[in-house]
Amino acid sequence: MGYELMSLHILGDSRGSLIALEENYNIPFAIKRVYYIFDTKKDVQRGFHAHIDLKQLAICVKGECTFILDDGKHREEIRLDSASKGLLIEGLIWREMHNFSPDCVLLVLASEHYNEDDYIREYDKFLEILAT
Ligand code: TYD
């Protein structure tokens, strides 16, 4: 439980590169939802929440952005700056996204459908839930 930066295998040849994402193979969950964040305006910060029960894999398929991941004790910054870097997040982790490059397309694969009830959007509540 937590997060892990995965190196996604690039299938490349003289024409360029290709990465395949396959559920329960290189993606360690069944994929119920895919969304992507793009055209993010300058200096915008996103996220600022945790999930009760969700697995996600985030990939900057174009451009770059920074994730801040916080388990209630430590905060770590991870720069997603390559289409071959996949950030797997599961369990109770507070996440924020910062410093989007103008061309950033952040693709997210998720293990569950969108459900606002799964979100913890207040940091104090996140710490409270961690302590229970
Ligand atoms: P929001 O949670 O603010 O995005 P982020 O955490 O990346 O900053 O989501 C923005 C809006 O989009 C909000 O109204 C909820 C909606 N939304 C969906 O309808 N489906 C989804 O899968 C996601 C991620 C968000």
Side-chain angles (χ1 to χ4, degrees), residues 7-30:
S7 197
L8 302 168
H9 183 59
I10 302 175
L11 303 162
D13 57 29
S14 58
R15 297 169 297 171
S17 302
L18 183 156
I19 290 176
L21 306 173
E22 297 188 58
E23 73 175 30
N24 294 324
Y25 181 43
N26 59 347
I27 307 303
F29 54 82

Side-chain angles (χ1 to χ4, degrees), residues 1-4 28 54-56 88-93 95:
M1 295 292 255
Y3 56 87
E4 181 191 340
L54 186 69
K55 294 177 185 167
Q56 289 181 305
L88 178 68
I89 310 173
E90 52 186 316
L92 278 173
I93 298 288
R95 81 262 343 243

Side-chain angles (χ1 to χ4, degrees), residues 112-123:
E112 301 298 334
H113 294 293
Y114 175 72
N115 174 13
E116 188 57 38
D117 293 342
D118 187 63
Y119 280 75
I120 307 163
R121 292 197 184 268
E122 285 122 49
Y123 191 75

Side-chain angles (χ1 to χ4, degrees), residues 56-132:
Q56 289 181 305
L57 185 87
I59 304 163
C60 275
V61 292
K62 177 90 181 156
E64 304 179 18
C65 75
T66 299
F67 268 75
I68 293 181
L69 300 161
D70 180 336
D71 65 1
K73 291 196 178 100
H74 305 105
R75 275 166 83 82
E76 188 181 355
E77 248 186 60
I78 294 181
R79 186 78 176 157
L80 291 186
D81 56 3
S82 160
S84 67
K85 284 185 186 176
L87 179 61
L88 178 68
I89 310 173
E90 52 186 316
L92 278 173
I93 298 288
W94 183 265
R95 81 262 343 243
E96 301 169 11
M97 291 91 89
H98 300 262
N99 295 323
F100 287 84
S101 63
D103 61 343
C104 181
V105 181
L106 176 63
L107 176 74
V108 183
L109 312 182
S111 64
E112 301 298 334
H113 294 293
Y114 175 72
N115 174 13
E116 188 57 38
D117 293 342
D118 187 63
Y119 280 75
I120 307 163
R121 292 197 184 268
E122 285 122 49
Y123 191 75
D124 287 351
K125 193 172 168 212
F126 166 67
L127 292 180
E128 236 172 70
I129 292 171
L130 273 179
T132 56

Side-chain angles (χ1 to χ4, degrees), residues 33-35 37 45-49 56 97 113-114 116 119 121:
R33 176 166 54 111
V34 176
Y35 63 93
I37 293 172
Q45 305 178 342
R46 303 198 60 136
F48 294 86
H49 63 254
Q56 289 181 305
M97 291 91 89
H113 294 293
Y114 175 72
E116 188 57 38
Y119 280 75
R121 292 197 184 268

